[in-house]
Amino acid sequence: MDDQLSLFDEIPDKNEHAGSPQESNRKFCTELEEELTTIGFAECTDNQPQIQKYIKRAAYQDMYGGTRHSTFLIHHKTKGLLRIEAHRQVQSGSVDQKFPFFYESLSNAPEETVVIVFDGKGYKKEAYNWLLTQTKNHTNKTFKVFSSKEDFLSYLIG
């Protein structure tokens, strides 16, 4: 019987969100990038991407006046330039404390439309509702907030 149990120990754990929160977030951004290329976007290194292209880690000024790098800057064929902040939070943690930072910093971004994409449910519902209310009431910019990668991709395709 002990010999049989060792077989189970050899089966790798396939937890897709294993690792530190930073590793999990990097994986989410990589997954999102793979999906972008699948639906027809291509990476470029220009300061401003051409139509159907994107750049990674596009710099802009955050709420403190420092340099922040968004996950992507996408040039969509009909939606124009979209600055994207993507974040995965599988377990409860401090991501909801970052919502005001995301909101205020993206308010400073030069693009008219800014997007926040989340993955996982590790944030407080009240914090998410706060973010939705703030972004809905913002008058100088169009905010799009997605609770999943799939909803975001549907927005891009639709």
Side-chain angles (χ1 to χ4, degrees):
M1 185 77 154
D2 288 335
D3 291 336
Q4 289 178 342
L5 290 176
S6 66
L7 291 174
F8 291 104
D9 292 338
E10 295 172 14
I11 298 172
D13 181 13
K14 293 198 176 193
N15 182 354
E16 67 180 87
H17 305 302
S20 72
Q22 294 82 6
E23 290 169 6
S24 180
N25 197 55
R26 278 192 291 274
K27 183 174 181 187
F28 175 55
C29 294
T30 299
E31 293 167 6
L32 192 54
E33 182 176 10
E34 289 168 358
E35 294 286 350
L36 288 175
T37 59
T38 299
I39 63 171
F41 286 90
E43 183 180 3
C44 69
T45 57
D46 303 334
N47 287 338
Q48 290 289 321
Q50 299 300 314
I51 293 175
Q52 290 304 105
K53 302 218 182 229
Y54 66 90
I55 57 175
K56 295 190 286 190
R57 297 191 39 77
Y60 71 104
Q61 189 175 43
D62 69 17
M63 65 186 274
Y64 303 120
T67 300
R68 170 124 180 108
H69 294 93
S70 60
T71 310
F72 302 107
L73 180 60
I74 297 173
H75 195 157
H76 190 276
K77 61 186 171 190
T78 60
K79 297 174 185 350
L81 285 174
L82 306 172
R83 183 163 301 268
I84 314 298
E85 284 283 2
H87 194 82
R88 172 178 278 161
Q89 186 76 23
V90 177
Q91 298 176 344
S92 65
S94 64
V95 72
D96 48 340
Q97 296 171 3
K98 298 174 186 171
F99 286 5
F101 179 78
F102 289 150
Y103 171 72
E104 291 295 333
S105 293
L106 284 170
S107 295
N108 292 333
E111 294 74 29
E112 183 179 317
T113 304
V114 293
V115 176
I116 304 172
V117 183
F118 293 109
D119 184 59
K121 300 293 182 195
Y123 48 81
K124 291 180 180 76
K125 182 180 178 185
E126 298 83 3
Y128 187 75
N129 289 339
W130 175 89
L131 181 62
L132 291 178
T133 299
Q134 295 302 309
T135 57
K136 183 174 135 185
N137 293 331
H138 199 281
T139 56
N140 298 332
K141 196 169 290 293
T142 301
F143 274 87
K144 299 287 185 183
V145 180
F146 299 96
S147 61
S148 73
K149 172 179 61 175
E150 293 75 22
D151 288 348
F152 171 61
L153 294 170
S154 293
Y155 164 75
L156 288 179
I157 294 168

